[in-house]
Amino acid sequence: MSFIEEEEEDGGENNGSSDKAGMEYDIEGFASDWDSDWEDQLEEDEDEKWRKELDGFSPPGVGYGNITEETIQRMKKEKLSKSERKRRAKEAKRVEAEQDSAVVCARCHSLRNYGLVKNDKAENLIPDFDFDRFISSRLMKRSAGTPVVVMVVDCSDFDGSFPKRAAKSLFKALEGRGKSKLNETPRLVLVGTKVDLLPWQQMGVRLERWVRGRAKAFGAPKLDAVFLVSVHKDLAVRNLLSYIKESAGPRSNVWVIGAQNAGKSTLINGFAKKQGVKITRLTEAAVPGTTLGILRITGVLPAKAKMYDTPGLLHPYIMAMRLNNEERKMIEIRKELKPRTFRVKAGQSVHIGGLTRLDVLKSSAQTIYITVWTSSNVPLHLGKTENAEELREKHFGIRLQPPIDPGRVPELGPWTERCIEVSGASWDVNSMDIAVSGLGWYSLGLKGTATVAVWTFEGIHVTERDAMILHRAQFLERPGFWLPIGIANAIGEETRKKNENKETERRRREDLLLEEDLVLEDSTC
């Protein structure tokens, strides 16, 4: 039996009799994309174990070899199809969920079911999580074992989700601890989540080297381990949990930290799933600041070891913080990223929605290959730089979304420019990336040097880095608009309505003219 507790500000670390924060709930009662695959694998493993008991021989009877009454009963078990097993498993989960459903607050209910907060005004009054006070200071204190810090980063938005401030604070805490008499230097584990959103199978071990390099560039202290995981695809979650349990031992504290929406709560729910324990399911939603306080998770780690889920660190410099719920859903990456590549010359620009633009000002090479990595729901446009301002006035909020309305454009802040010098040695692979935090990135492939300008809203971070993904799209995009089907259909429907209104107005005018002609004829007679 296990539960989650609200961590007390004072003395909560070593208090073994902390209160429960919620009712027990079976995490398996909630379906997700990877539930069915996990259950099938479990059932297949049990069947495989039973077959090994028989060792290739038909049992002549009970007591022969290792054949028991239970084995005989399993032989007589009703044979079910795969679909029928899934149906029965889901039905059992539904019944169990109805019996053991946990009571949650209105905020969590709204986040889980509708993906938005209950009260925006009240949400703005919630103070930011003080990482230095609650985490760094505790790492300086003497503990029964070696503390483990699990730093969670979203691989699809590495630069935007990397907790830079927390990394510097941790570095100072680790330095201070190293100078003291404490021997238990905390272990730092970097976990890259949502790796399934990248073409990771084509990247191989290069992705791990790239992740270590970026963490070092952001000032992270020496990493004890790096894990690249996907909870939804069940990639490397078990290996990560085994490493954490081994590192923590029987009495250590494990702190799970990271930026908002990096996947901390999803990861902990995945740990509980692997362990088969009952915990109050942590609320998961694509809304900044979903977790409000430090939550103590028991039952996932052995003996007296404790795991803590911490609130997401808010990064005001990412694009998602500027957008409303509907716009945020458009830029959220939910499927594996697909490259969209343009062949660009000097004097041309590539737009990503109405959120950012890349201008090629001058180049020693005749062309540059620019590959865009962002959500497939965001439209793109390649055109002349001299027409960029006119395009902004006419199409931002219409063909180039987000924002979803032209009136939202001035609300997002001033449109600013940043010039960058780029260089490369080959057209065959991407040489460097220009990342826009919380949105995606441009990958540039060129042979020579060039000067580019990135336009986006003031305060949004733009980062230069080594290319994360080397390859580009197999086929090149044409100049003009690249519109997702949803936006194209909406524009088509609006155009159809405008044409219908014009036709109605034309007929009305014709009817009026006809009536006037009839009146004139009558008066003449």
Side-chain angles (χ1 to χ4, degrees):
M1 185 179 297
S2 61
F3 50 87
I4 298 178
E5 304 176 339
E6 186 77 19
E7 173 66 1
E8 299 293 340
E9 181 176 336
D10 297 320
E13 255 182 285
N14 302 317
N15 185 2
S17 59
S18 301
D19 296 335
K20 297 182 181 180
M23 298 175 62
E24 293 180 2
Y25 190 81
D26 187 352
I27 192 171
E28 295 179 2
F30 284 80
S32 63
D33 293 341
W34 48 279
D35 280 348
S36 57
D37 296 338
W38 185 82
E39 291 156 5
D40 292 343
Q41 184 63 42
L42 180 61
E43 190 163 350
E44 289 171 5
D45 290 345
E46 291 177 353
D47 292 342
E48 183 65 24
K49 183 179 178 182
W50 171 67
R51 291 191 187 95
K52 288 181 179 179
E53 287 184 4
L54 299 182
D55 198 25
F57 296 94
S58 298
V62 176
Y64 181 83
N66 60 351
I67 305 304
T68 62
E69 284 283 1
E70 182 183 355
T71 308
I72 298 299
Q73 291 300 321
R74 295 190 68 173
M75 289 177 60
K76 297 177 181 179
K77 186 179 178 181
E78 179 185 5
K79 298 295 183 182
L80 300 175
S81 65
K82 186 175 180 180
S83 60
E84 180 64 18
R85 289 201 306 270
K86 285 184 178 181
R87 189 191 68 77
R88 292 192 180 187
K90 288 181 179 179
E91 180 65 20
K93 282 184 176 184
R94 186 187 65 78
V95 173
E96 189 173 4
E98 290 177 354
Q99 294 174 350
D100 299 331
S101 59
V103 177
V104 298
C105 66
R107 180 179 183 272
C108 285
H109 177 79
S110 182
L111 284 169
R112 290 181 181 182
N113 294 281
Y114 306 108
L116 48 85
V117 294
K118 185 73 175 177
N119 189 330
D120 286 328
K121 294 181 179 179
E123 196 75 10
N124 292 332
L125 298 176
I126 298 173
D128 291 346
F129 177 66
D130 191 340
F131 183 86
D132 291 344
R133 177 185 174 192
F134 289 103
I135 305 298
S136 298
S137 59
R138 297 192 182 195
L139 291 175
M140 291 295 295
K141 297 178 181 178
R142 182 180 295 276
S143 56
T146 303
V148 179
V149 179
V150 179
M151 186 183 295
V152 180
V153 183
D154 181 355
C155 283
S156 63
D157 182 28
F158 193 92
D159 293 60
S161 65
F162 190 89
K164 306 178 186 68
R165 247 181 59 189
K168 292 179 181 179
S169 179
L170 279 173
F171 186 68
K172 291 180 181 178
L174 296 180
E175 274 189 336
R177 196 178 173 99
K179 294 176 182 178
S180 67
K181 296 181 180 179
L182 300 175
N183 296 322
E184 306 88 1
T185 303
R187 296 190 177 185
L188 184 59
V189 182
L190 180 63
V191 178
T193 59
K194 307 179 188 179
V195 71
D196 57 299
L197 300 178
L198 304 175
W200 57 276
Q201 292 175 322
Q202 302 178 38
M203 302 172 72
V205 296
R206 181 183 176 278
L207 179 58
E208 181 179 336
R209 292 199 301 269
W210 186 91
V211 167
R212 286 183 177 273
R214 291 307 298 161
K216 185 177 180 180
F218 283 129
K222 183 180 179 182
L223 303 174
D224 290 278
V226 172
F227 285 86
L228 303 175
V229 307
S230 168
V231 176
H232 293 294
K233 295 292 184 180
D234 196 16
L235 298 173
V237 178
R238 189 182 298 277
N239 293 341
L240 171 60
L241 180 57
S242 299
Y243 180 86
I244 291 174
K245 289 164 67 175
E246 181 182 351
S247 300
R251 299 178 65 84
S252 295
N253 293 333
V254 176
W255 301 90
V256 183
I257 68 169
Q260 72 273 25
N261 301 329
K264 301 182 303 301
S265 298
T266 304
L267 184 63
I268 293 175
N269 286 337
F271 288 161
K273 184 81 171 181
K274 288 296 180 186
Q275 291 293 93
V277 298
K278 293 183 178 182
I279 67 171
T280 302
R281 185 173 69 101
L282 301 178
T283 302
E284 305 167 19
V287 175
T290 300
T291 303
L292 296 181
I294 299 176
L295 299 177
R296 176 182 168 186
I297 318 294
T298 59
V300 173
L301 299 179
K304 295 183 179 180
K306 306 180 191 72
M307 178 176 286
Y308 297 94
D309 181 25
T310 61
L313 304 172
L314 298 181
H315 290 171
Y317 50 79
I318 68 173
M319 190 67 73
M321 297 294 286
R322 300 287 181 93
L323 308 180
N324 58 33
N325 287 327
E326 190 173 349
E327 293 165 345
R328 198 178 294 124
K329 288 179 181 178
M330 291 183 67
I331 69 170
E332 183 183 355
I333 301 172
R334 300 183 181 182
K335 298 180 180 179
E336 181 180 332
L337 285 169
K338 301 296 182 183
R340 291 177 279 177
T341 303
F342 298 89
R343 183 187 285 127
V344 184
K345 299 179 180 179
Q348 291 184 318
S349 302
V350 179
H351 288 81
I352 300 181
L355 301 177
T356 184
R357 183 182 97 214
L358 180 68
D359 300 341
V360 179
L361 303 179
K362 58 181 180 179
S363 173
S364 63
Q366 186 175 0
T367 59
I368 296 177
Y369 291 97
I370 297 180
T371 302
V372 177
W373 299 91
T374 189
S375 169
S376 58
N377 295 322
V378 180
L380 308 179
H381 180 270
L382 170 63
K384 294 182 179 180
T385 304
E386 62 186 22
N387 299 330
E389 285 304 316
E390 181 183 353
L391 197 74
R392 173 180 166 86
E393 293 175 2
K394 287 186 177 181
H395 298 292
F396 274 28
I398 303 173
R399 281 181 169 83
L400 292 175
Q401 297 184 15
I404 57 174
D405 185 84
R408 285 272 298 142
V409 177
E411 296 176 7
L412 297 178
W415 191 244
T416 60
E417 178 187 22
R418 175 180 170 182
C419 290
I420 302 173
E421 299 292 332
V422 299
S423 62
S426 173
W427 283 295
D428 296 330
V429 295
N430 294 321
S431 304
M432 66 171 295
D433 293 343
I434 299 176
V436 180
S437 294
L439 176 63
W441 67 95
Y442 298 96
S443 288
L444 280 65
L446 71 158
K447 190 173 183 181
T449 60
T451 302
V452 300
V454 180
W455 290 82
T456 189
F457 300 105
E458 187 176 10
I460 301 298
H461 275 200
V462 176
T463 311
E464 308 164 47
R465 66 189 192 191
D466 292 335
M468 183 183 195
I469 304 171
L470 297 180
H471 68 272
R472 58 175 182 259
Q474 186 176 1
F475 302 102
L476 299 178
E477 302 291 337
R478 296 179 180 179
F481 288 98
W482 188 99
L483 299 178
I485 188 67
I487 294 178
N489 289 341
I491 293 173
E493 182 66 18
E494 190 168 343
T495 303
R496 183 183 65 80
K497 288 181 179 178
K498 286 182 179 179
N499 291 337
E500 286 181 354
N501 293 336
K502 287 181 180 179
E503 181 66 19
T504 303
E505 182 65 21
R506 185 184 65 80
R507 288 177 180 176
R508 189 181 67 81
R509 289 178 180 176
E510 288 180 353
D511 292 342
L512 288 173
L513 290 173
L514 182 60
E515 289 177 5
E516 289 177 359
D517 290 342
L518 292 174
V519 170
L520 288 173
E521 288 179 3
D522 292 341
S523 62
T524 303
C525 294

